[in-house]
Amino acid sequence: MRWLIALLLMLVSTGPAFADSARPPARLSDTQLPDPKQEAEAQKLMLELRCLVCQGQSIADSNAEMAGDMRALVRRQISEGSSPQQVRDWLIARYGDYVTYDPPLSAATLPLWITPIAFIVIGLWLARASFKRRKRF
């Protein structure tokens, strides 16, 4: 029984080693565009897009293979004349609102926008109640 548990632990621990493939990175993933204006647009957009693998990093900061593919896609589409907004809209249509750090206001993302405001209002209400209680004593 112990050898089975040890085998399972070894198999689970080797998973991250096989997360990325051995294929070379996409052509434009780490290569800047020749036009500085287009590269600046691409860089700005890449900072606004979330890596779907890392989930805590932008595609500009992530070393994940998928982030490299997304960087190459952004650069390629911008070099072909697409605006950053068109590229962003295309990625949102393909991967959903989660791909962007600034999701648009919709029925699905309404809780993301309302929750912080609700927490602030609740915190102010609790602080006010606490200060009123202190004045009485």
Side-chain angles (χ1 to χ4, degrees):
M1 182 67 167
R2 287 185 183 176
W3 65 271
L4 182 62
I5 292 172
L7 180 64
L8 287 173
L9 284 173
M10 284 191 294
L11 288 174
V12 169
S13 66
T14 59
F18 300 110
D20 283 339
S21 70
R23 70 181 177 97
R27 189 177 68 82
L28 290 173
S29 66
D30 298 319
T31 306
Q32 293 187 353
L33 295 173
D35 183 0
K37 183 179 178 240
Q38 287 181 334
E39 180 62 27
E41 288 176 342
Q43 284 290 331
K44 185 175 182 237
L45 180 59
M46 287 187 271
L47 288 171
E48 297 172 4
L49 298 172
R50 182 187 318 262
C51 174
L52 299 173
V53 176
C54 305
Q55 299 179 357
Q57 293 180 304
S58 69
I59 63 171
D61 299 330
S62 175
N63 291 328
E65 187 175 343
M66 184 166 188
D69 292 343
M70 290 174 74
R71 285 192 303 270
L73 182 133
V74 167
R75 284 187 173 117
R76 184 175 61 248
Q77 287 193 4
I78 290 204
S79 70
E80 291 172 355
S82 297
S83 72
Q85 188 60 43
Q86 289 172 320
V87 177
R88 179 186 166 110
D89 291 343
W90 184 85
L91 286 167
I92 289 172
R94 182 167 185 159
Y95 297 112
D97 291 330
Y98 187 75
V99 76
T100 179
Y101 282 116
D102 187 21
L105 185 60
S106 69
T109 61
L110 196 59
L112 295 173
W113 292 97
I114 291 178
T115 303
I117 296 168
F119 281 139
I120 290 171
V121 169
I122 291 168
L124 289 173
W125 180 73
L126 289 172
R128 183 175 172 254
S130 175
F131 289 136
K132 276 187 173 182
R133 216 177 301 131
R134 284 186 185 175
K135 281 185 178 181
R136 287 187 211 155
F137 295 115

